[in-house]
Amino acid sequence: MARPIWTGTLSFGLLNVPVSLMPGERSVDLHFRMLDSRSKTPIRYERVNAETGEEVPWKDIVKAFEYKKGSYVVLKPEDLRSASSEGKEAVEVEAFVDQDTIGPEYFEKPYYLVPGKKAEKGYVLFRETLKKTGKIGIARVVIRTREYLSAVVPKDNALVLILLRYEQELVDPEEYAIPDKKPAAYRISTKEMDMAQKLVESMAEDWKPGSYRDDFRDRLRKVIDRRIKTRGGVVEKEEEAALPGNAATNVVDFMALLQKSLGGKTGSSPKKTASGKAARSRRSPGRASPAKTAKRKSRVSS
């Protein structure tokens, strides 16, 4: 079981609820080591002095800010702690807002708030109040000496603390060439809009996060397993799937694509449909299925 990041309080108004801040995500990345290609031995990253080339032990390493080229100001651990808010191990709720007023670009990383012993009443009171009012709490929280903006959101029986990005961390979309005129300015017809809407509705389904997997990680894991079996030998590169016929064209017949998409919709998700086609394409064109072969044999024997 994961260890708490810290144990403190969830505070709003005069109500303080003892909680533990627990990780809300786990890393499933495949981690790699750098090796010397000649001996296949690991490469070690050493902390060396840029001028002398000598290795520097951790106890002699300090944090510093380069305020101009070649000039640094050294910061001590107490300097970092003093910059944090007064509430150290605490989630200090400062306001309540409607959840749909916060754009998705602001949400960054989830944690779970787990109530302390005999703190269930305050926890449930806070959770149910958020649910009934349709609000989420905007709070500040300190994690490992750094202060973050965060949102306290009810999720089923849990309270989830989601780190938020500050506005100054986001790029204004107006800095990019994003289409900002009405659909008619791009010659999008009403019929095209209607068909696109029908396509979306035909593909609508309940959100089932467990049905989606990190396919890249799975494929990479298979490549690694094959490398292990061949003891580092050369593995043939798999043939890449052909691009769709309209992939490289700039002029697209949207009506034709929408009609084709609607006509090919059978109720299954696009991912499942694609995998089914891939499975059928792997069969040899000149070889009949076992069922058809048995059928022909029965006709011959009769």
Side-chain angles (χ1 to χ4, degrees):
M1 185 177 178
R3 293 182 178 180
I5 306 299
W6 54 248
T7 299
T9 58
L10 165 63
S11 305
F12 68 105
L14 297 177
L15 181 61
N16 295 307
V17 182
V19 293
S20 294
L21 186 69
M22 304 295 292
E25 63 177 359
R26 61 169 55 92
S27 175
V28 294
D29 288 343
L30 298 172
H31 299 283
F32 298 94
R33 289 292 304 272
M34 299 297 180
L35 305 180
D36 186 324
S37 63
R38 299 163 297 181
S39 60
K40 300 296 186 295
T41 51
I43 293 175
R44 197 172 56 198
Y45 287 92
E46 297 181 345
R47 303 167 299 281
V48 297
N49 186 304
E51 293 184 0
T52 65
E54 296 178 355
E55 186 173 359
V56 182
W58 275 114
K59 65 181 182 66
D60 293 330
I61 295 177
V62 295
K63 288 185 176 181
F65 177 77
E66 188 176 18
Y67 58 92
K68 68 178 182 179
K69 188 68 175 177
S71 297
Y72 303 90
V73 58
V74 175
L75 293 176
K76 297 180 180 179
E78 52 266 33
D79 294 326
L80 297 174
R81 286 194 294 269
S82 66
S84 301
S85 61
E86 291 300 322
K88 300 300 181 184
E89 279 73 39
V91 180
E92 299 281 355
V93 177
E94 299 181 355
F96 294 95
V97 303
D98 293 332
Q99 184 171 356
D100 57 7
T101 60
I102 303 178
E105 68 274 16
Y106 283 92
F107 294 95
E108 185 174 5
K109 188 175 183 179
Y111 290 89
Y112 285 109
L113 293 171
V114 178
K117 290 183 178 179
K118 299 182 180 179
E120 291 87 354
K121 181 177 179 178
Y123 187 92
V124 173
L125 174 62
F126 188 41
R127 181 191 70 201
E128 294 305 308
T129 302
L130 291 180
K131 287 183 178 181
K132 288 187 177 182
T133 58
K135 304 289 186 181
I136 63 175
I138 302 300
R140 295 183 185 275
V141 59
V142 177
I143 302 176
R144 299 188 181 97
T145 74
R146 181 182 168 186
E147 184 178 84
Y148 296 89
L149 187 66
S150 64
V152 181
V153 183
K155 170 64 177 173
D156 298 328
N157 293 326
L159 285 173
V160 182
L161 182 137
I162 306 175
L163 298 188
L164 299 177
R165 298 181 178 92
Y166 287 101
E167 188 176 34
Q168 63 262 36
E169 296 180 86
L170 299 173
V171 176
D172 190 332
E174 292 187 2
E175 295 184 23
Y176 302 111
I178 296 175
D180 57 356
K181 298 182 178 63
K182 292 184 178 180
Y186 305 98
R187 300 189 298 278
I188 298 175
S189 68
T190 303
K191 191 172 182 180
E192 286 173 326
M193 286 293 297
D194 290 341
M195 293 191 69
Q197 184 176 340
K198 287 179 181 177
L199 176 59
V200 171
E201 291 171 351
S202 71
M203 295 174 65
E205 58 182 41
D206 293 333
W207 167 237
K208 299 175 182 176
S211 63
Y212 297 89
R213 289 184 58 85
D214 185 350
D215 292 336
F216 171 76
R217 181 184 180 279
D218 291 342
R219 290 193 296 268
L220 186 57
R221 179 74 247 187
K222 289 178 181 177
V223 171
I224 292 172
D225 290 341
R226 289 202 302 271
R227 287 285 187 185
I228 293 172
K229 288 179 181 179
T230 58
R231 297 183 180 274
V234 177
V235 177
E236 294 183 4
K237 183 179 179 182
E238 291 186 355
E239 192 173 325
E240 295 183 0
L243 291 172
N246 63 330
T249 177
N250 291 324
V251 181
V252 181
D253 186 345
F254 283 99
M255 285 298 294
L257 289 175
L258 289 168
Q259 287 174 342
K260 189 174 181 181
S261 298
L262 282 168
K265 182 63 184 166
T266 59
S268 59
S269 66
K271 185 175 179 181
K272 291 176 183 176
T273 303
S275 62
K277 288 181 179 178
R280 288 194 295 273
S281 65
R282 286 196 292 268
R283 294 176 185 166
S284 302
R287 183 179 297 174
S289 66
K292 289 183 178 179
T293 303
K295 205 170 186 180
R296 283 203 298 266
K297 284 181 177 180
S298 66
R299 282 201 296 264
V300 172
S301 60
S302 60

